[in-house]
Amino acid sequence: MPEVNIAGSKAAVVRRGDYQAPSYQVSEVALDVRLDPDNTEVHTRLQLHRIAPEPVAELHLDGESLELLGLQRDGQALAESAYRLTEGGLLLLNPPEAFILESRVRIHPRANTALSGLYHAGGQFLTQCEAEGFRRITYYLDRPDCLARFTVTLHAPQDSCPVLLANGNCMATGVEEGGWHWARWEDPYPKPAYLFAMVAGDLAVVRDRYRTASGREVALEIYVAERDTGACAQAMDSLKHAMRWDEEVYGREYDLNRYMIVATDSFNMGAMENKGLNIFNAKYVLASPETATDSDYQGIESVIAHEYFHNWTGNRVTLRDWFQLSLKEGLTVFRDQEFSADQNSRGVQRIGDVRRLRAAQFPEDAGPLAHPVRPDAYSEINNFYTATVYEKGAELVRMIHTLLGKVSFRKGMDLYFERHDGHAVTIEDFIAAMEDASQRDLSGFRRWYGQAGTPVVQATGSYDPARHSYTLTLHQETPATPGQPVKEAVPIPVRMALLNTQGQRVPLEVVGGASETVLLLEQSEQSWNFANLPGPVIPSLLRGFSAPVRLQDSLDNDAHGFLARHDDDPFNRWESMQDLAVKALLAAVADSSVAPLPVTLRNAVAATLADRQVDPAFCAELLTLPGEDYIGEQMSVVAVEAIHRARDGMKRAIGRHFAKEWTGLYHDLAAAYQRDGLSIGRRRLRNLALAYLIAGEGSSREGAILHARQQYIQADNMTDRLVAFQLLAQHRHHDAEDVILDFYQRWHEYPLVIDNWFAIQAAAPYPKTLRQVEHLLVHPAFDWRVPNRVRAVLGAFAANPTVFHAADGSGYTFFAEQIRRLDDINPQTAARLATPLSRWQRYDAPRQQAMVAALKILAAKPGLSRDLAEVIQRSHPE
Ligand SMILES: [Zn+2]
């Protein structure tokens, strides 16, 4: 892609190959900020020195939306001939070898609805500097390889902003005239500007302490609105668990005396790992049983851990440039997934990880927005905070972990920290540390980082009864992606076992009698022979989903039915169940007269329901049908309505056929609210039972609707209440209007709960939902400036298969108009929400036309943001 050129706006493309080290470095930064919602003044003092060997003609400092008030060099006003203002910042002409630059700028936090840089929302001042927000605060070398020590002095009115926070340690505070006060913060660790943060507002604090393995005391502080102080226990517990886990598993301790978390409703992302001062979307901090679901609790545990783990993987060792984003994100997602697996059930965690990967990353990898985990070019880096960089990036780290084993992987991590602590490095440096510590050659593995697309692995096997041997052949191929027509083979670790007809793993002679091994498929095709087997076997391949590939095995339904009952690998057992369901659904999509519940699947469901050994959370996973999106992914052209009908039909059939079992489960699993893993699993299975009963027909359905109503009214926790609400609101029962009104009245003071209220209505699978969403967008509680609220409505709408993809194109047109509006307010969120339109090639001709027309509506928008322009251009290159 040479250039993004839409509606006259040209955005330069940044290329990985063009990287150049900075010619100057900043050693010290001193900021002095007078906070005012409309006119904030920032006085910056930079100590700069040249690191390029030769003098340079000009030095570029990044700056965006800044009003320059004054510029001094070494204490003297800078002559106009010594600098030039440009579109992207400031050029210093013929700069001396070392100097002090002082700048004064004015910025407008309240008008900053993009929520990048310093903004004022909900009465608080907050910052978001990753990736390139710091340049919206002051002129600076805003690039991750520029590490400097920061001191910040914040001034604000004492009554509206009693709390003043920034990175590091608070060194001094004082009062000044006019009811103002100030605080000075100093961060002893040099850091790139993207990790800078400051916060000011009227916040309450929840405090705790943590003693590190070496005996240092760390103050833990969570800053929230006064009324939310009772909802921070899960966040605080998760933080302490994460701190302990990183000491135990990676030998990494926290390094400052204070760890602060601030929660806000106005945030573009999940959370941000600013050094010592994390800023969080309130969704990942606040929870009480009355307002948060079990999955909300789990989300908090994993995001708190993720941001904490960044202190080493991201902050202490940071990125050379933004192309290396997965160096911190893929690695840290892997770390938080492993943390959650250790805290909860490993099998269920892995199923959830893969479900997310398949829902978001596989489609991305198969469409026009496909890009390698380490991209080669971008025009707006905000568009590369993708499932590929995060989730696939985590899978690549997981494969290295699988290939090296736990001990060597830890050695590699130790070496990585030892070599690169305090530096800005590359993915290459990470792999080199892994290689040096393990003495393994990972040169082929590097291709995973540079090659987009999801490899397809075909497996064929045969048992030879005369020789008692099994031969397995694996073949790999990666489909072409934009800009990468030809793909090379990548090394794919395939964890596997062979099961005998009783479902037990058999010893494998080739690996000294062990009953599980990892095969490494490096060529496009390889075969393995397993000799001296006791009898016929069924292969269990890609156990634990050991590589991010699409596996096509040649097993028939009987074999999958067998594995769905007997495989001792939880992921593979679940996968076989999914496989049976997908095959049945695809058959029903192709021919609506096909029975919605074929006998193999029915038997597998029956066996699962009868299996008392299965942990309830895992049982619920086994019995949950694949989503409509995932079924669509298996087709060359997504048959929107037929998929919906087929899945509904299967749900109905399972509900009806097993009505007795579901009713039994629903009553047996009733219990007073508790938060332990077993109780969470039981709740989940019980609510699944209710969903199947409601999907069924006849008297059990009528009874289930009554149960749902009762559950909605009497629930002692949000998980049960929300499931009941969703089932009632989405099943067009005559009570739905009452329930929708009642829910709002009960919870209107809790924004996170009301986000669910919006999302559930926007996700209802009926044509009238479009009209409903129009109403929601003018509801008094809807706010275009709050990303959580916008995502709740527009995100849920775009994920609503039958309404977003309505055959007449009404969903697309409506959606494009809303994104157009959002782009003026928050380009990052607009660009991210618009990506479902990029999938137009997957639909039939009328839908394709309508989706492309929607993209054109957006492309024609005056003042189109760079964020959205890039998504449109890559989605539909003209
Ligand atoms: Zn992260």
Side-chain angles (χ1 to χ4, degrees):
M1 182 182 60
E3 263 184 338
V4 176
N5 188 352
I6 301 234
S9 76
K10 253 191 187 179
V13 169
V14 184
R15 278 167 221 292
R16 185 162 59 86
D18 293 346
Y19 173 82
Q20 283 191 327
S23 56
Y24 276 73
Q25 274 291 3
V26 182
S27 46
E28 301 279 342
V29 185
L31 294 169
D32 188 274
V33 186
R34 291 194 71 82
L35 291 163
D36 176 274
D38 298 307
N39 291 296
T40 287
E41 275 190 32
V42 183
H43 183 164
T44 308
R45 190 173 184 277
L46 304 178
Q47 273 184 41
L48 287 139
H49 62 276
R50 196 178 77 219
I51 49 171
E54 300 295 324
V56 296
E58 47 185 46
L59 169 62
H60 170 82
L61 298 182
D62 302 292
E64 205 181 292
S65 308
L66 303 174
E67 198 180 318
L68 182 61
L69 303 174
L71 213 47
Q72 289 194 337
R73 193 169 72 197
D74 295 325
Q76 305 288 316
L78 194 61
E80 289 206 3
S81 59
Y83 73 94
R84 206 166 69 230
L85 286 176
T86 65
E87 205 180 315
L90 178 67
L91 278 180
L92 298 173
L93 307 175
N94 302 309
E97 195 171 335
F99 61 100
I100 289 172
L101 184 79
E102 289 179 79
S103 66
R104 276 196 312 123
V105 301
R106 186 180 291 138
I107 53 179
H108 312 286
R110 202 201 306 263
N112 180 2
T113 57
L115 311 184
S116 160
L118 175 70
Y119 60 95
H120 187 261
Q124 295 172 44
F125 291 92
L126 298 149
T127 53
Q128 170 58 32
C129 293
E130 185 176 3
E132 297 180 334
F134 193 71
R135 64 188 61 185
R136 293 160 63 88
I137 297 174
T138 189
Y139 289 105
Y140 195 69
L141 283 171
D142 189 8
R143 43 188 292 168
D145 58 356
C146 176
L147 278 67
R149 247 185 303 272
F150 283 69
T151 307
V152 193
T153 309
L154 301 164
H155 308 256
Q158 219 157 356
D159 58 347
S160 60
C161 295
V163 173
L164 302 174
L165 308 174
N167 314 86
N169 304 311
C170 186
M171 310 304 285
T173 59
V175 290
E176 50 196 70
E177 49 190 57
W180 281 51
H181 69 148
W182 60 271
R184 180 167 302 128
W185 290 79
E186 203 175 276
D187 182 356
Y189 291 93
K191 65 170 175 289
Y194 83 86
L195 291 171
F196 171 84
M198 53 186 176
V199 171
D202 187 0
L203 292 160
V205 58
V206 176
R207 294 177 203 275
D208 205 333
R209 303 198 72 76
Y210 178 81
R211 183 184 288 274
T212 68
S214 68
R216 274 189 321 104
E217 283 279 323
V218 180
L220 309 179
E221 301 177 348
I222 301 181
Y223 290 85
V224 293
E226 180 69 50
R227 65 147 208 208
D228 292 327
T229 50
C232 299
Q234 170 73 354
M236 193 63 93
D237 285 349
S238 303
L239 176 59
K240 288 189 281 186
H241 291 154
M243 293 176 92
R244 189 64 72 212
W245 188 88
D246 215 17
E247 290 174 351
E248 287 170 2
V249 179
Y250 287 94
R252 297 292 130 190
E253 271 192 26
Y254 186 59
D255 52 6
L256 286 164
N257 300 330
R258 194 198 281 241
Y259 193 87
M260 296 173 283
I261 290 172
V262 178
T264 170
D265 290 322
S266 297
F267 206 68
N268 279 341
M269 319 273 281
M272 178 62 209
E273 71 265 21
N274 316 300
K275 183 76 185 188
L277 177 57
N278 289 188
I279 298 179
F280 266 65
N281 189 325
K283 182 176 171 52
Y284 297 111
V285 177
L286 303 179
S288 68
E290 300 76 39
T291 60
T293 63
D294 293 331
S295 71
D296 290 335
Y297 272 88
Q298 275 161 0
I300 291 169
E301 181 180 74
S302 109
V303 178
I304 290 268
H306 178 95
E307 306 309 330
Y308 175 73
F309 296 153
H310 268 316
N311 191 53
W312 277 96
T313 49
N315 300 5
R316 291 285 291 253
V317 182
T318 195
L319 314 176
R320 190 192 73 172
D321 56 72
W322 289 116
F323 296 103
Q324 319 298 329
L325 185 56
S326 194
L327 175 66
K328 75 176 176 83
E329 295 306 342
L331 180 53
T332 306
V333 170
F334 169 70
R335 275 152 54 71
D336 84 55
Q337 288 176 347
E338 284 297 290
F339 165 75
S340 294
D342 283 348
Q343 307 296 310
N344 306 296
S345 146
R346 184 160 279 272
V348 171
Q349 172 70 28
R350 188 64 186 137
I351 290 166
D353 295 343
V354 177
R355 212 201 282 281
R356 266 189 300 282
L357 180 82
R358 284 176 173 165
Q361 201 277 326
F362 277 24
E364 184 170 270
D365 230 356
L369 302 183
H371 56 275
V373 170
R374 182 181 51 204
D376 294 315
Y378 62 79
S379 79
E380 176 49 70
I381 184 59
N382 290 333
N383 288 329
F384 283 85
Y385 286 73
T386 60
T388 297
V389 167
Y390 279 66
E391 263 77 32
K392 187 174 178 182
E395 294 297 322
L396 303 198
V397 175
R398 183 177 295 278
M399 285 193 287
I400 295 177
H401 186 271
T402 300
L403 291 170
L404 267 51
K406 203 169 164 180
V407 173
S408 290
F409 183 84
R410 168 66 195 270
K411 280 188 194 154
M413 288 300 295
D414 288 348
L415 184 61
Y416 173 67
F417 292 129
E418 188 187 312
R419 279 182 182 170
H420 303 300
D421 186 13
H423 294 103
V425 303
T426 62
I427 286 169
E428 185 55 41
D429 293 320
F430 173 75
I431 299 176
M434 287 292 161
E435 282 180 316
D436 294 345
S438 68
Q439 297 297 309
R440 270 190 79 141
D441 176 11
L442 294 172
S443 47
F445 193 84
R446 287 171 171 79
R447 281 199 286 279
W448 273 106
Y449 282 94
Q451 198 164 276
T454 307
V456 177
V457 174
Q458 264 168 341
T460 44
S462 59
Y463 178 71
D464 181 342
R467 298 180 167 189
H468 299 283
S469 76
Y470 184 81
T471 305
L472 175 71
T473 301
L474 298 175
H475 173 92
Q476 65 163 299
E477 209 167 314
T478 303
T481 55
Q484 289 188 338
V486 183
K487 304 284 185 178
E488 286 178 88
V490 286
I492 298 174
V494 179
R495 189 181 294 279
M496 57 85 66
L498 298 175
L499 307 186
N500 66 18
T501 46
Q502 278 79 53
Q504 289 138 345
R505 287 191 270 170
V506 303
L508 305 173
E509 223 179 58
V510 282
V511 283
S515 61
E516 187 182 67
T517 187
V518 177
L519 308 176
L520 187 60
L521 171 64
E522 292 179 284
Q523 338 263 283
S524 64
E525 190 169 298
Q526 280 168 258
S527 291
W528 289 265
N529 187 267
F530 302 91
N532 293 324
L533 297 170
V537 289
I538 294 171
S540 167
L541 300 174
L542 208 70
R543 289 161 73 85
F545 198 69
S546 59
V549 300
R550 293 177 199 264
L551 175 67
Q552 295 176 346
D553 59 40
S554 48
L555 301 180
D556 58 17
N557 278 352
D558 288 340
H560 277 295
F562 177 83
L563 291 172
R565 282 198 298 274
H566 298 295
D567 202 323
D568 66 333
D569 181 72
F571 176 82
N572 270 17
R573 185 171 171 189
W574 171 78
E575 183 79 324
S576 284
M577 211 55 189
Q578 292 278 298
D579 201 88
L580 288 175
V582 167
K583 280 194 187 123
L585 287 163
L586 290 176
V589 167
D591 177 356
S592 58
S593 67
V594 164
L597 183 58
V599 65
T600 344
L601 180 60
R602 198 175 70 211
N603 290 342
V605 170
T608 306
L609 282 166
D611 187 345
R612 296 283 158 215
Q613 307 294 317
V614 184
D615 136 63
F618 181 51
C619 184
E621 289 287 0
L622 289 171
L623 296 170
T624 300
L625 296 181
E628 289 175 41
D629 284 353
Y630 184 69
I631 303 159
E633 280 299 302
Q634 320 306 316
M635 306 184 69
S636 52
V637 176
V638 181
V640 177
E641 291 91 355
I643 290 172
H644 184 72
R645 266 198 308 275
R647 192 172 180 278
D648 253 16
M650 185 180 280
K651 241 167 43 184
R652 195 162 46 243
I654 295 178
R656 198 174 46 209
H657 191 89
F658 296 101
K660 207 173 103 232
E661 286 82 351
W662 295 126
T663 309
L665 278 175
Y666 186 73
H667 292 295
D668 293 351
L669 293 173
Y673 179 77
Q674 289 191 49
R675 275 257 328 121
D676 58 286
L678 184 62
S679 301
I680 292 171
R682 291 166 63 101
R683 215 158 21 242
R684 176 138 181 236
L685 186 55
R686 180 169 186 257
N687 283 321
L688 184 72
L690 184 61
Y692 273 118
L693 286 169
I694 285 192
E697 275 165 351
S699 59
S700 59
R701 179 172 200 266
E702 289 311 308
I705 287 173
L706 286 178
H707 286 317
R709 245 194 109 63
Q710 228 166 26
Q711 177 169 322
Y712 171 75
I713 294 162
Q714 294 169 357
D716 59 357
N717 65 86
M718 185 48 84
T719 305
D720 287 342
R721 194 185 302 268
L722 196 67
V723 167
F725 173 67
Q726 176 168 14
L727 290 171
L728 293 170
Q730 293 186 350
H731 282 82
R732 273 197 297 196
H733 193 259
H734 57 82
D735 285 340
E737 290 303 323
D738 298 6
V739 171
I740 288 171
L741 203 64
D742 179 83
F743 191 98
Y744 184 77
Q745 278 164 354
R746 279 178 198 247
W747 301 108
H748 68 276
E749 284 173 19
Y750 294 84
L752 297 170
V753 179
I754 292 302
D755 286 338
N756 290 327
W757 180 81
F758 275 102
I760 284 171
Q761 292 179 73
Y766 309 111
K768 69 166 187 186
T769 296
L770 177 60
R771 179 58 56 82
Q772 183 62 16
V773 170
E774 286 171 355
H775 290 315
L776 293 177
L777 291 178
V778 293
H779 190 279
F782 186 80
D783 188 343
W784 286 98
R785 291 166 306 174
V786 178
N788 281 357
R789 192 56 46 93
V790 174
R791 278 190 289 260
V793 178
L794 296 182
F797 178 76
N800 182 335
T802 48
V803 181
F804 180 63
H805 295 288
D808 62 2
S810 53
Y812 307 136
T813 315
F814 169 77
F815 184 69
E817 281 158 8
Q818 311 319 314
I819 296 297
R820 215 175 123 97
R821 175 163 183 189
L822 182 62
D823 190 46
D824 285 331
I825 299 164
N826 188 329
Q828 262 184 54
T829 304
R832 211 155 293 165
L833 280 171
T835 55
L837 288 173
S838 74
R839 310 272 301 134
W840 59 275
Q841 286 165 81
R842 306 277 298 113
Y843 294 87
D844 57 24
R847 286 186 173 88
Q848 288 200 4
Q849 280 167 19
M851 290 175 94
V852 170
L855 284 165
K856 285 184 175 163
I857 293 178
L858 290 173
K861 173 183 175 281
L864 185 65
S865 71
R866 191 169 60 189
D867 304 67
L868 190 52
E870 183 180 28
V871 168
I872 297 165
Q873 165 67 19
R874 287 164 62 214
S875 299
H876 188 251
E878 291 283 41

